[in-house]
Amino acid sequence: MTNLLQTLTQMLAYPFMVNALEAGTIVAIVSGLIGWFMVLRRQSFAGHALAVVGFPGAAGATLLGVGAAYGYFTFCLAAALVIALLPRAGGSGRTDESAVTGTVQALALACGFLFVSLYHGFLNGIDALLFGSFVGISQGQVTALLVVGACVLVTLALIGRPLLFSSVDPEVAAAGNVPVRALSFVFLLLLGAAVAEASQITGTLLVFALLVAPAAIAQTVTSRPSVGLLLSPIIALIVTWGGLTLAYFWPYPIGFFVTSLAFGGYVAARVAAGLVRRRSKSAW
Amino acid sequence: MTAVQSLSGIVSSLAAHPFLANAVFAGTAVALAAGVTGYFLVLRGQVFTGDALGHVAFTGAAAALAIGLDLRVGLFVATIGAGVLIGLLGSKGRSDDVVIGNVLAWVLGLGVFFLTLYITSLSAGNGTAGVTVLFGSIFGLSQGQAWTAAAVGGGVVIAMLLIARPLLFATVDETVAASLGVPVRMLGVVFLALVGVATAEATQAVGALLLLGLLAAPAGAAQRLTARPYVGLALSGALAVFAMWAGLALSYAVPVLPPSFSIIAVAAAVYAVAFVVTAARRTEAAASPGRARSEGE
């Protein structure tokens, strides 16, 4: 026990580890809450698209010499705006929607790859952009994450009730004079900011580990919004802290630990829910 | 005259640079296979299955490298296995996007783990192997690899042509096809296995993350341009090959552009042109009275 405590204090003696834990905590709380609404509203693929677009943003920002964080925020928010505005402009919702999504996704990743290869000597950094890294987080980055995260959470607190209403039953909400359109617009922007934050810890390709899995676990365990909204960020925190600790002790990338913890938790929750359901069925 | 000159220029540069000849040779077969299988993927609404196979390809390749096997063994085993598995689970277990998202994120996480295992276990290991698998290196193909890619790509195209007729029937109207004795389920599995083969080959050319563009863009463009299935199938393959050739030429002319980027950029541009052209045609048709369709959402 003292041994464990010792290793923990040893880990916290490194400033980079403290920064990583602070950043991870902020990101986990934001993604846990926003992710809960995202899963409820069935917008996971929008979240995925935003994350993919973040990659050329981050690579381009690195190429230009500004921090990757700016690239993430600019591109994710811009993409959120585009997605929010698109359905009204388009209108021809046929099966080719998936072909468009696939093409845009591949093009975004290709552009990111182009920027990375234009920036010579950055080929190891590409793994960090795609699969996450926790060693290079500066104090300034933590502050930026905190400010953006606080803005996201304040907005979410303000629109939380009507957003929940309009997510559960958009038609009734619209009939009750809830501005459903405006809410979904604002939510996509919040989602863009949350994705940009999560990308900086888990990397572009693995944001689902923090955005989807904790929320999905929470919604498997409970259908009550108040409990779920509490549970989802807590699970995200456990996943992040666990991932950071494991990545500190073993030489494998944090993305692997975070996704494995999240996926393991999801499978466990589904199995447990299935067992409970079967038992209650046999009790009847 | 200039066309002949530029053609002879191309031929002589192909002869002078074996890596370019290998790339064109392998690329043509890969693009043709991707265009033909992609057409059915789009038609059957299974584009995201192609995406999933790309993810699996990365993990399979990384796992093969980690245990010291040839990268291609892992590619083919993983993508064909995953294709058959998805085909067998099929429409019965239509899982939602949350499940897919969780599984795909974990598959990629696992891939990163294998990759790290590979890089750290071989001190002299190839540190850029991950980048190669994710984004391809078509200019790095050896002659033997190019021949294999061409043979496999050709095989996929021939197999697709053999099953095209019943597969089309099963795609357009599954219940009628099944009642007439078409083995719908079997066809779906065989098709996804072929997609797996095409994916594994395409991974070596444009990479696991970008092959989705080669599957989706030419097929999407062909589908917008024509409603006739066989014309569309041929068009999709032709557009994919065009994207491959134009992309390779672009990267050869402008060496800073990586070939996988150029290929995907051309494919996306082709799709964008098809989109704009057909959209203009549609608004023209809609402008004629009686066809004003305004869906609010």
Side-chain angles (χ1 to χ4, degrees), chain B residues 242-262:
Chain B
F242 169 74
M244 176 65 68
W245 286 354
L248 287 175
L250 193 63
S251 285
Y252 178 70
V254 189
V256 286
L257 299 177
S260 7
F261 165 78
S262 311

Side-chain angles (χ1 to χ4, degrees), chain A residues 71-133:
Chain A
Y72 277 125
F73 283 120
T74 317
F75 271 59
C76 288
L77 285 175
L81 262 178
V82 170
I83 293 180
L85 292 174
L86 255 187
R88 280 181 250 182
S92 65
R94 285 199 327 147
T95 44
D96 56 15
E97 191 186 320
S98 63
V100 174
T101 315
T103 307
V104 170
Q105 186 179 323
L107 186 65
L109 288 168
C111 287
F113 180 53
L114 172 69
F115 296 150
V116 167
S117 59
L118 287 178
Y119 184 92
H120 292 290
F122 181 52
L123 280 181
N124 283 327
I126 195 172
D127 281 343
L129 287 184
L130 290 174
F131 299 114
S133 150

Side-chain angles (χ1 to χ4, degrees), chain A residues 96 100 117 131 208 213 252-253 260, chain B residues 101-102 106 112 116-117 224 258 271:
Chain A
D96 56 15
V100 174
S117 59
F131 299 114
F208 268 19
Y252 301 112
S260 295
Chain B
N102 274 321
W106 186 59
V112 178
T116 317
L117 215 58
R224 282 193 78 92
Y271 191 21

Side-chain angles (χ1 to χ4, degrees), chain B residues 101-114:
Chain B
N102 274 321
V103 172
L104 285 191
W106 186 59
V107 163
L108 279 179
L110 213 56
V112 178
F113 169 72
F114 286 132

Side-chain angles (χ1 to χ4, degrees), chain A residues 39-53:
Chain A
V39 171
L40 186 70
R41 297 168 64 86
R42 311 213 153 272
Q43 289 187 315
S44 304
F45 277 123
H48 187 237
L50 291 175
V52 166
V53 172

Side-chain angles (χ1 to χ4, degrees), chain B residues 27-33 35 214 218 235-248:
Chain B
T28 307
V30 166
L32 205 56
L214 209 53
L235 190 60
S236 175
L239 288 177
V241 171
F242 169 74
M244 176 65 68
W245 286 354
L248 287 175

